[in-house]
Amino acid sequence: MDTLRWLATAPNRAALRVASVFITVSALWIIFSDRAANAMFGDAADLAAFQTAKGLFYVGVTGLILFLLVRLLVGRLADRTAEALRAREAAAETMRQAGIESRALERAKSQFLSSVSHELRTPLNAVIGFADMIGDPSLPLSPDKVRDYAGEIATAGHHLLDLVESIVACAEAETGQPLAPETLDVREEVGRVAGQARVRAQHRRTAVENNVPDGLILRADPLALRQILFALLDNAVTHTPEHSHVRIDGDLDGDGQVVITITDDGPGLPAEVMAGMGRPFLRGGDPLTARVGGLGLGLYLAMLLTARHGGQLSAEQPEGAHGTRIRVAFPAG
């Protein structure tokens, strides 16, 4: 706003300054030069020659002064104009980025709503369907059937609970609740989380190996570390074929960082997931027709919590092999 006001008044101020300098220099020159000429020359011819030389000198000096003054004023005007144009371009770029982010947010919201509705509908239909069958007096159900239906309801209920807990965990991580770092034994923490992941792995006949060496110490929030490890392990187990392997390794790198790697021999992360790592609700393919369920929050939650510890999470494909290697590096100390 200040630059625009300056530009609006700049022409008048520049013209006034040029006119003031011109009038001042002209008046002073005329007054003092005429007095000096009358005192120096008594002959009219000499006086006329002096007046001519004086006029030429005045024109030259005045022209030089005006040139320098106009160049100074126009230069300042050009600088301020360029500054105003840069500010306008920056504002336009900011608005363009805001528009892009707004459209991305709308797409993410639409994807979130479609994914959540799809993911919630499946277990809810199971809960309602099996509950209706159990409560229907016209259906002769044996105790074994009732037990099977109750088991299906429990499975669907646990699936619903997992979905809700993943959403709540991401919301809590985004709000920046303070961490409570503790000194942790990495092998022990990995073993605790791997034990939980093996429950699902058993159904898929997936082997989960804890290869973290003894004595590897990490300072981190224990709950956040378990959320990171479980999200990554759950992703690895879920997205690998049956009779596959998931391996967890740990070590110190050259900078003293504690590095935990989770390697699987599955199909690998889709290209769109690799390119968009760090965004929520990101899944490969169409979430409505995907073979594996989920909201696409596990990798997002792991990256969010890792970043809050000052660490870095990255993914790559192992050399000469299928699958994915997730590398989580925590800062030293």
Side-chain angles (χ1 to χ4, degrees), residues 163-175 227 301 304-305:
L163 293 176
V164 173
E165 285 183 342
S166 65
I167 295 173
V168 171
C170 287
E172 290 178 346
E174 288 174 339
T175 57
Q227 288 177 322
L301 176 62
L304 195 62
L305 292 175

Side-chain angles (χ1 to χ4, degrees), residues 207-227:
V208 179
E209 303 173 5
N210 181 3
N211 294 331
V212 177
D214 292 325
L216 185 61
I217 302 300
L218 170 64
R219 186 161 181 80
D221 183 281
L223 177 59
L225 178 62
R226 291 164 198 160
Q227 288 177 322

Side-chain angles (χ1 to χ4, degrees), residues 172-180 224 302-311:
E172 290 178 346
E174 288 174 339
T175 57
Q177 292 188 359
L179 300 174
M303 292 193 70
L304 195 62
L305 292 175
T306 301
R308 292 196 58 205
H309 281 85

